[in-house]
Amino acid sequence: MQRYFLNEDYEAKPVYVVEGEPFHHMVRVMRMVPDDCVYLVFQDQVAILAKIQQINEQAVHLIEVEKEQQDKELPIHVTIASGYPKGDKLELIVQKGTELGAAKFIGFPAQSSVVKWDHKKLQKKQQRLQKIAQEAAEQAQRQRTPIIQLAASDKELWDSLSNYDYVIVAYEESAKSGENAKLIDILTKAAPGSKILAIFGPEGGLTPAEITRAESQGAVICGLGPRILRTETAPFYFLSAVSVLTELVRK
């Protein structure tokens, strides 16, 4: 069933009026008619099943049938920070990371990043990534659309570390040494609602200086299993581990 994210908090109303892009998609793309049902998702993560009551030239009028009961979000708030990779890898990270439950994505210019974007390109890229995230959230039947933040300097990332309960840095040298206990320890003790920031380097990885800086600010350096993962693969491994250890095992 189609799902549409609205830029407002939930409020009980006799009729919900949907305009703009959701209207266009419902009417022009999906060819919906009165009595068809969709999910409307609000900014406060409330989702309702709604039935189309009326369609006019600019808006769709819907009535609430019931609230969605199943929680589709990870029990912990996960932010994925990726050193800018080459090509369209960041788009893949955002798309699949959204499907896997990430709440926020931060792109930053790591010391090994080859990609250089000026302010104008950053704005354009952010708009595209936000659209990709919304479409992926709709496809995955989520109750929130992740936030996209593209940093112009790495300082924006390092200055934000104190906003999180846990900061994890994926480091290939830890993987090579067989270290994996730290990741399990953090994910098994993280309480529901905890905020976790997971930092991943670009193709060249994070430099020793960046690792030292992260450790000096309380970050935990972790391996992600014995294999060395690509920059676009590592976040998916991490998010899958989060799901298993905080959703499936705890249930």
Side-chain angles (χ1 to χ4, degrees):
M1 186 176 296
Q2 290 296 314
R3 179 169 294 238
Y4 298 94
F5 289 82
L6 305 182
N7 295 321
E8 59 184 87
D9 288 340
Y10 172 77
E11 179 183 348
K13 298 179 181 179
V15 177
Y16 295 88
V17 180
V18 175
E19 300 174 312
E21 187 175 337
F23 160 79
H24 173 80
H25 192 270
M26 285 183 199
V27 178
R28 309 299 182 207
V29 179
M30 299 305 299
R31 305 289 185 182
M32 292 184 178
V33 296
D35 291 336
D36 283 346
C37 290
V38 301
Y39 278 104
L40 300 180
V41 185
F42 299 85
Q43 287 184 325
D44 53 3
Q45 297 184 40
V46 175
I48 64 172
L49 178 66
K51 181 188 290 187
I52 296 177
Q53 186 180 53
Q54 177 185 343
I55 299 174
N56 60 35
E57 293 185 358
Q58 295 184 329
V60 178
H61 296 247
L62 307 98
I63 57 173
E64 179 176 343
V65 177
E66 62 182 7
K67 290 184 176 64
E68 185 175 44
Q69 299 301 317
Q70 184 181 12
D71 189 358
K72 305 293 184 67
E73 298 302 314
L74 289 173
I76 60 177
H77 185 288
V78 177
T79 296
I80 299 295
S82 296
Y84 288 135
K86 299 175 185 177
D88 59 359
K89 292 177 183 178
L90 192 57
E91 295 182 5
L92 178 66
I93 291 170
V94 168
Q95 182 187 58
K96 301 307 179 186
T98 297
E99 293 178 25
L100 289 167
K104 183 177 179 179
F105 296 91
I106 299 174
F108 69 98
Q111 291 181 12
S112 298
S113 292
V114 176
V115 173
K116 305 295 181 185
W117 290 325
D118 59 24
H119 180 69
K120 185 176 181 180
K121 287 185 178 179
L122 279 176
Q123 282 189 316
K124 187 174 182 180
K125 190 74 171 179
Q126 181 160 336
Q127 291 173 354
R128 173 163 174 73
L129 290 174
Q130 195 67 64
K131 182 174 179 60
I132 288 172
Q134 179 171 320
E135 291 174 349
E138 292 170 352
Q139 186 277 325
Q141 300 288 292
R142 288 188 57 179
Q143 291 154 336
R144 71 186 304 168
T145 299
I147 297 168
I148 308 295
Q149 177 186 343
L150 299 186
S153 71
D154 61 351
K155 186 176 184 297
E156 294 180 43
L157 172 68
W158 301 120
D159 287 351
S160 72
L161 266 57
S162 61
N163 297 331
Y164 299 89
D165 299 302
Y166 304 95
V167 178
I168 292 173
V169 178
Y171 191 42
E172 67 177 37
E173 295 304 320
S174 295
K176 288 177 182 178
S177 66
E179 188 285 313
N180 55 26
K182 293 178 182 177
L183 176 64
I184 295 174
D185 179 60
I186 289 175
L187 294 183
T188 52
K189 72 182 182 184
S194 297
K195 294 183 178 181
I196 294 182
L197 170 66
I199 303 174
F200 303 88
E203 290 85 356
L206 294 169
T207 65
E210 288 172 315
I211 294 298
T212 298
R213 184 173 186 178
E215 287 184 305
S216 70
Q217 293 184 235
V220 177
I221 312 304
C222 294
L224 300 180
R227 291 161 294 280
I228 305 304
L229 306 176
R230 293 177 183 270
T231 184
E232 68 271 29
T233 308
F236 308 151
Y237 179 104
F238 175 75
L239 286 165
S240 297
V242 170
S243 177
V244 170
L245 294 175
T246 67
E247 289 184 308
L248 304 185
V249 172
R250 292 184 185 181
K251 287 183 179 179

